[in-house]
Amino acid sequence: MKTMIKYWALAIGCLAMTLSFTSCSEDETSLTAPTNLSFEPTMGGAIIRYTPPSNSDLLYIKAAYTNSLGKDVYRTASIYDNKIEIDGLADETKTYTVHISAVDKWGGETSSTPIDVKPGRSFINVIKDNLIINPICGGFAVIWENPMGAFDQSADNSVAKIVYIVVEYTNAEGETRVRYLSSKQRNVKANIRNVFAGNYKVSFHVEDSSGNKTEQSSPSIVEVPEEQESLKFVEHEDPINGVVKEFVWTLVPKLTTLQPAWEYKNEAIFDGIIDSNTSNTQNYCGTDCDNSSVTYGASIPWDTDQVDIVIDMHQVVSISRLKAWQRAYTYDSQPYSGASGQTSGISDDYFYYQPQNLKRFKLFGSMTLEEGDWFLIKDCDISSNSTAGTLPIYWTNPSYFGHENVYMPTNESYQYAIDGHEWELDAMTDSVRYIRVRMVENWDLSKRNIAGMSELNLYGSILVPHDELAAREASEAKKPRRR
């Protein structure tokens, strides 16, 4: 009997101790609150530094506060850190009270120590100040710098902050549309397309991922020009030859230095034909250092004035975007399929991304043929073109038809080559009459030959049409010259 009483007493004592410990873990803690609080303002927040309690029971440090949206939130820091970062404080004119406490392994929390924090200027306000909207043909170019964004696609995006741009534009009839743009990149240029020509009232605001937003910007008037394609030729009905082309674009012989070889033809880049799969054609430009008629030497003088095609468009344009096509087909050999011989009208394989095919070119513009007047419009690299979709896969194979490094196309990259590679400009160019296409690189590291561009299209505003320019020049030619 006495033994049973002792067991009951022991059990009751253990239960009391357990209840006592449980009560202590929920309501009390042996920790002390962090000390030596200080803060460093950041964009839309702050870094709070502290001395954590020296206690093996510490689990984390907690910062509780009310953000700019009036929501109660908290952030935590591990036992291995002496600082904690808070954000979501979009109004830099306000002071925010942050309560810092320590939490133990059982959930017990110390009393909090308050610290008044004044954040730095929020990154969304910085973006609001630097964002610009430029007119482009058929739309707007929205350009901004995000000081909290990643510098490039390959950078670590874990600390980059995404931003949302909400653009409103209203036409003359009072119809308003809203477009949403977003990015985590540092420097961003995004285009809003499919906008009719006319004057628009345009405004915007910037939001972060927490829901903070800037005030709506003051409306600005933006005149959107109609997008026009630079006219390369005019078609006429001929009773004998049928439809014939009268070319508006013409080569400038004294400045065109790309030396054609084999079936290559410089004029092919503006003939309106994007290659053919029926026979060996002359629908693309190119050159070959191994051809006896070409005197470049052992290698093409890439990215120099020795591989230029210079064109007089016989019109004055302002360019907003351009498209280019690679050579599309091959005939005598089929490197990917392994076939050989003529294709009997249907190519067994595309020529896109083949070692000799065009990978990169530069487009220059000018209003005169004076060397000092040329300016770079765009450095066009197909391999880094953001609109090029899934690019070919880089492949090393020493036995691949004598080429050590090649790019193996995918179905997606084929489709983008078929549609044409497109480059958008950040803003419309100054007036341009002459263009210079400079060959910079092919897909093969040997760089000995190039089966280059099949077609080039330019889009923008036609400032002076070709017939008007011709009339002006004819009028100037009739004026008597002073002796």
Side-chain angles (χ1 to χ4, degrees), residues 18 52 86 97 114 126 142 148 180 209 245 270 310 321 385 391 415 457 475:
T18 302
I86 62 173
T97 300
V126 173
V142 185
M148 302 296 289
Y180 297 87
S209 58
K245 294 177 181 178
F270 55 85
V310 180
R321 67 184 177 103
N385 183 4
L391 291 170
Q415 189 58 53
N457 286 359
S475 177

Side-chain angles (χ1 to χ4, degrees), residues 326 352-353 382-383 388-394 407-410 413 443:
Q326 304 175 54
Y352 301 124
Y353 309 107
I382 294 172
S383 68
T390 305
L391 291 170
I393 301 170
Y394 190 66
Y407 289 79
M408 295 302 292
T410 62
S413 61
W443 293 93

Side-chain angles (χ1 to χ4, degrees), residues 177-215:
R177 295 192 65 184
V178 179
R179 293 292 296 271
Y180 297 87
L181 310 171
S182 66
S183 177
K184 291 181 73 172
Q185 300 307 303
R186 180 87 172 192
N187 296 290
V188 184
K189 185 254 181 180
N191 288 335
I192 297 175
R193 283 286 182 186
N194 299 316
V195 178
F196 292 112
N199 289 328
Y200 290 83
K201 290 182 179 179
V202 184
S203 64
F204 65 91
H205 71 265
V206 186
E207 299 182 11
D208 63 18
S209 58
S210 299
N212 295 297
K213 60 180 68 176
T214 66
E215 294 182 355

Side-chain angles (χ1 to χ4, degrees), residues 395-409:
W395 182 47
T396 300
N397 184 349
S399 63
Y400 183 84
F401 288 87
H403 300 281
E404 294 185 0
N405 301 281
V406 297
Y407 289 79
M408 295 302 292

Side-chain angles (χ1 to χ4, degrees), residues 32-311:
T32 57
T35 58
N36 302 320
L37 302 183
S38 64
F39 79 92
E40 173 189 344
T42 61
M43 288 186 171
I47 297 175
I48 300 174
R49 300 185 184 277
Y50 53 83
T51 300
S54 180
N55 191 310
S56 61
D57 291 339
L58 176 63
L59 182 62
Y60 62 84
I61 302 299
K62 176 181 176 181
Y65 60 100
T66 303
N67 66 16
S68 298
L69 300 175
K71 296 180 180 179
D72 293 332
V73 295
Y74 69 90
R75 300 288 183 267
T76 61
S78 76
I79 60 175
Y80 304 106
D81 213 339
N82 66 344
K83 64 181 184 298
I84 189 167
E85 185 172 2
I86 62 173
D87 57 9
L89 310 181
D91 188 351
E92 61 268 17
T93 64
K94 291 178 58 177
T95 298
Y96 300 83
T97 300
V98 183
H99 298 273
I100 307 297
S101 60
V103 179
D104 66 21
K105 298 175 182 178
W106 298 275
E109 183 175 347
T110 67
S111 59
S112 63
T113 302
I115 178 174
D116 290 333
V117 169
K118 193 165 187 179
R121 185 163 177 76
S122 172
F123 73 100
I124 62 174
N125 287 327
V126 173
I127 294 171
K128 180 177 181 289
D129 290 344
N130 69 49
L131 187 146
I132 58 175
I133 298 179
N134 289 328
I136 57 175
C137 291
F140 312 100
V142 185
I143 306 167
W144 71 87
E145 180 180 356
N146 179 0
M148 302 296 289
F151 280 98
D152 55 57
Q153 296 286 351
S154 61
D156 179 14
N157 285 341
S158 60
V159 296
K161 294 186 181 295
I162 193 168
V163 65
Y164 305 92
I165 312 296
V166 183
V167 180
E168 295 184 11
Y169 51 99
T170 305
N171 62 17
E173 287 73 35
E175 299 170 329
T176 299
R177 295 192 65 184
V178 179
R179 293 292 296 271
Y180 297 87
L181 310 171
S182 66
S183 177
K184 291 181 73 172
Q185 300 307 303
R186 180 87 172 192
N187 296 290
V188 184
K189 185 254 181 180
N191 288 335
I192 297 175
R193 283 286 182 186
N194 299 316
V195 178
F196 292 112
N199 289 328
Y200 290 83
K201 290 182 179 179
V202 184
S203 64
F204 65 91
H205 71 265
V206 186
E207 299 182 11
D208 63 18
S209 58
S210 299
N212 295 297
K213 60 180 68 176
T214 66
E215 294 182 355
Q216 193 77 6
S217 68
S218 299
S220 59
I221 303 299
V222 178
E223 183 177 356
V224 175
E226 179 184 3
E227 183 173 72
Q228 301 168 290
E229 183 178 346
S230 177
L231 189 64
K232 295 182 286 188
F233 54 82
V234 178
E235 293 184 331
H236 299 287
E237 287 286 347
D238 183 87
I240 299 175
N241 300 310
V243 178
V244 296
K245 294 177 181 178
E246 177 188 349
F247 284 93
V248 177
W249 286 19
T250 60
L251 292 177
V252 179
K254 66 178 181 180
L255 295 181
T256 297
T257 54
L258 185 72
Q259 300 180 47
W262 309 114
E263 75 273 19
Y264 306 144
K265 186 177 180 182
N266 289 332
E267 295 92 333
I269 70 172
F270 55 85
D271 65 1
I273 303 173
I274 305 174
D275 210 352
S276 168
N277 67 346
T278 58
S279 65
N280 287 9
T281 64
Q282 294 181 327
N283 296 321
Y284 41 83
C285 69
T287 190
D288 183 355
C289 283
D290 296 327
N291 188 279
S292 60
S293 65
V294 176
T295 58
Y296 290 134
S299 178
I300 297 173
W302 298 92
D303 201 11
T304 71
D305 60 4
Q306 296 304 301
V307 283
D308 288 346
I309 298 176
V310 180
I311 297 168

